[in-house]
Amino acid sequence: MRGLRVGVIGAGIGGLSAALSLLAVGCDVQVYERSAALGEVGAGVQVSPNASRILHHLGLAGELARVGVRPLALHQRRWDDGRTLLRTPLGEPLEDRFGFPHYQAHRADLLAVLAAAVPAERIHLGHRLTGFQENRDRVRLRFAGRDDAEVDVLVGADGIHSDVREALFGPERPRFTGCIAYRGLVPAERLCHLDIEVTAQVFMGPGRHFVNYYVSGKRLMNFVAIVEQDSWARESWTDRGEVADALTAFAGWHPQVQGMLSAVDETFVWALFDRPPLAHWSRGRVTLLGDACHAMLPFMAQGAAQAIEDGATLATCLAGGAEPPAALREYERLRLPRASRMQALSSANKTRFHLPDGPEQQARDEAMAAGATDWSYDVVAWIYDHDAANPVPDGGTPR
């Protein structure tokens, strides 16, 4: 299938990494982005070994090392006194175990690395998809104020509010999870007095939790503060939040948490909505990728990694010689169970992170100390060992 024409809608992390994987197997890829300029909302992103494996194979190891931060550990802590509940090495021990490193990065830095690796003539900005029509052997794409395009395969990598998904399967009805998230970036020099290690930290407490880690060459500290709340109407990454509200929500928490929130100039707030796994991702010559088909809560730090995996598996399937509809069915068969499992685990972590102090919380802490819960190496091996370019049907790891 070399020379197969593939149109990718969306030039985010998922769309651009998919374009690179598809180009690597000889596809003729064109990426269409509705915005007039490339950009990424949000702040930090985790690139775990299952994703860095793919990006290294695409030739991006040097650039990832330049823009990424390699944390020493994942440090899960108690909310008030900061007592360690579980500390899992993420530096050289993790790379020795899984073969590839773990990076923390600013989303915009990672996007820039991906965009620079895709030939500029293959990225078409200002192209808002208004519809598509599949014929027997091609898909015609229509854009607002732009010429139509024809492709052999259409990939909707257009995010959580995907137009391609809605055209295929109708509108979604996301469910508010009862959580809102404050997020922000703090210049690292403002935090020197807090003596914060180069780790990914998770402070867990009643009804909320707080995540922080360095990005942008350790120049910035990224944080996400999750708070339970009864209701919310909008689903947006760009609503301004009040720093004072975040400080109030985390009153009495560890001094590092209070110190980071006190040092931030501005914060943004967004509501977390949950979506049940889709029964299907593909129809004919059209399929979905990333948040368009498996948006997940950020409680496993796997959203971007799963989108990167999608692109690698899609490229493998399209390069396998089958006709595109059959290749897309195989892609769905290989990817959907794994992504759905990750969605479920991400949702479950909301409960585990937010337990009130008491017997359940004490049992959780004992399980963490025994290495019987997430982020011990044995438990996460099915995630980190996975090679999405050589996938197996159960979403695990070939042995």
Side-chain angles (χ1 to χ4, degrees), residues 246-326:
L247 279 165
T248 299
F250 287 87
W253 280 53
H254 190 269
Q256 287 187 355
V257 173
Q258 286 280 301
M260 282 180 268
L261 290 174
S262 298
V264 70
D265 291 324
E266 64 178 1
T267 185
F268 297 86
V269 62
W270 87 99
L272 300 182
F273 284 77
D274 205 3
R275 291 159 168 79
L278 294 175
H280 298 285
W281 295 359
S282 306
R283 180 173 291 169
R285 292 172 172 265
V286 184
T287 195
L288 302 171
L289 179 150
D291 281 354
C293 53
H294 54 67
M296 57 189 68
L297 298 177
F299 302 156
M300 287 289 289
Q302 279 292 307
Q306 292 304 301
I308 293 168
E309 283 190 13
D310 288 344
T313 300
L314 176 63
T316 296
C317 292
L318 288 176
E323 286 297 312

Side-chain angles (χ1 to χ4, degrees), residues 24 60 99 103 105 140 143 192 204 206 221 223 241 295 320 328 347 380 397:
L60 301 179
Y103 299 100
R140 177 172 289 275
F143 300 98
C192 293
M204 293 185 285
M221 179 69 73
F223 73 82
L328 297 186
S347 296
V380 299
T397 304

Side-chain angles (χ1 to χ4, degrees), residues 69-73 87 104 196-200 213-214 218:
V69 174
R70 294 182 59 181
L72 299 174
R87 184 183 175 95
Q104 298 165 172
I196 301 174
E197 284 188 296
V198 184
T199 61
Y213 51 86
Y214 289 98
K218 306 177 192 174

Side-chain angles (χ1 to χ4, degrees), residues 5-327:
R5 297 172 301 170
V6 181
V8 177
I9 306 300
I13 290 171
L16 291 179
S17 60
L20 290 172
S21 289
L22 290 162
L23 286 168
V25 298
C27 291
D28 177 5
V29 183
Q30 305 295 329
V31 181
Y32 301 97
E33 167 59 41
R34 67 186 302 161
S35 300
L38 289 179
E40 183 65 90
V41 297
V45 62
Q46 303 269 357
V47 183
S48 49
N50 49 312
S52 64
R53 168 185 283 105
I54 297 164
L55 299 180
H56 278 212
H57 287 160
L58 291 171
L60 301 179
E63 286 298 288
L64 284 176
R66 180 180 64 83
V67 304
V69 174
R70 294 182 59 181
L72 299 174
L74 171 67
H75 193 188
Q76 299 190 69
R77 309 177 69 180
R78 183 168 164 78
W79 67 279
D80 50 0
D81 59 10
R83 174 167 49 88
T84 295
L85 301 176
L86 180 66
R87 184 183 175 95
T88 306
L90 291 182
E92 290 184 5
L94 185 84
E95 185 172 356
D96 289 343
R97 169 62 180 80
F98 296 108
F100 294 87
H102 184 110
Y103 299 100
Q104 298 165 172
H106 194 297
R107 298 184 76 93
D109 291 341
L110 178 58
L111 187 76
V113 166
L114 296 171
V118 177
E121 67 273 13
R122 294 184 178 275
I123 301 176
H124 308 278
L125 302 177
H127 278 66
R128 180 173 65 85
L129 185 74
T130 59
F132 58 86
Q133 181 177 1
E134 182 178 355
N135 299 315
R136 186 179 63 83
D137 59 354
R138 69 197 66 185
V139 184
R140 177 172 289 275
L141 314 181
R142 298 188 300 276
F143 300 98
R146 303 282 187 170
D147 291 339
D148 291 358
E150 284 193 344
V151 295
D152 300 306
V153 172
L154 173 62
V155 180
D158 48 344
I160 201 165
H161 301 294
S162 170
D163 292 327
V164 178
R165 182 192 62 234
E166 183 165 345
L168 286 178
F169 303 119
E172 272 196 324
R173 293 185 178 178
R175 178 186 64 86
F176 178 54
T177 62
C179 289
I180 62 169
Y182 296 92
R183 61 180 176 85
L185 293 164
V186 185
E189 66 265 19
R190 298 184 187 176
L191 306 175
C192 293
H193 64 289
L194 297 175
D195 195 26
I196 301 174
E197 284 188 296
V198 184
T199 61
Q201 293 196 123
V202 182
F203 291 88
M204 293 185 285
R208 60 207 65 204
H209 74 280
F210 187 96
V211 179
N212 68 276
Y213 51 86
Y214 289 98
V215 298
S216 297
K218 306 177 192 174
R219 295 185 301 276
L220 296 172
M221 179 69 73
N222 172 73
F223 73 82
V224 182
I226 310 291
V227 180
E228 292 185 8
Q229 181 169 303
D230 290 337
S231 63
W232 193 270
R234 281 169 49 82
E235 186 178 17
S236 171
W237 277 74
T238 56
D239 288 342
R240 292 294 180 97
E242 294 293 335
V243 175
D245 291 343
L247 279 165
T248 299
F250 287 87
W253 280 53
H254 190 269
Q256 287 187 355
V257 173
Q258 286 280 301
M260 282 180 268
L261 290 174
S262 298
V264 70
D265 291 324
E266 64 178 1
T267 185
F268 297 86
V269 62
W270 87 99
L272 300 182
F273 284 77
D274 205 3
R275 291 159 168 79
L278 294 175
H280 298 285
W281 295 359
S282 306
R283 180 173 291 169
R285 292 172 172 265
V286 184
T287 195
L288 302 171
L289 179 150
D291 281 354
C293 53
H294 54 67
M296 57 189 68
L297 298 177
F299 302 156
M300 287 289 289
Q302 279 292 307
Q306 292 304 301
I308 293 168
E309 283 190 13
D310 288 344
T313 300
L314 176 63
T316 296
C317 292
L318 288 176
E323 286 297 312

Side-chain angles (χ1 to χ4, degrees), residues 340-363:
S340 298
R341 180 180 178 187
M342 204 73 70
Q343 283 179 289
L345 288 173
S346 298
S347 296
N349 264 355
K350 174 203 165 186
T351 300
R352 194 177 70 81
F353 285 175
H354 293 181
L355 290 175
D357 287 348
E360 286 188 88
Q361 164 261 322
Q362 292 165 9

Side-chain angles (χ1 to χ4, degrees), residues 357-378:
D357 287 348
E360 286 188 88
Q361 164 261 322
Q362 292 165 9
R364 176 201 67 192
D365 294 355
E366 290 173 3
M368 293 175 72
T373 186
D374 72 334
W375 294 107
S376 61
Y377 283 3
D378 288 343

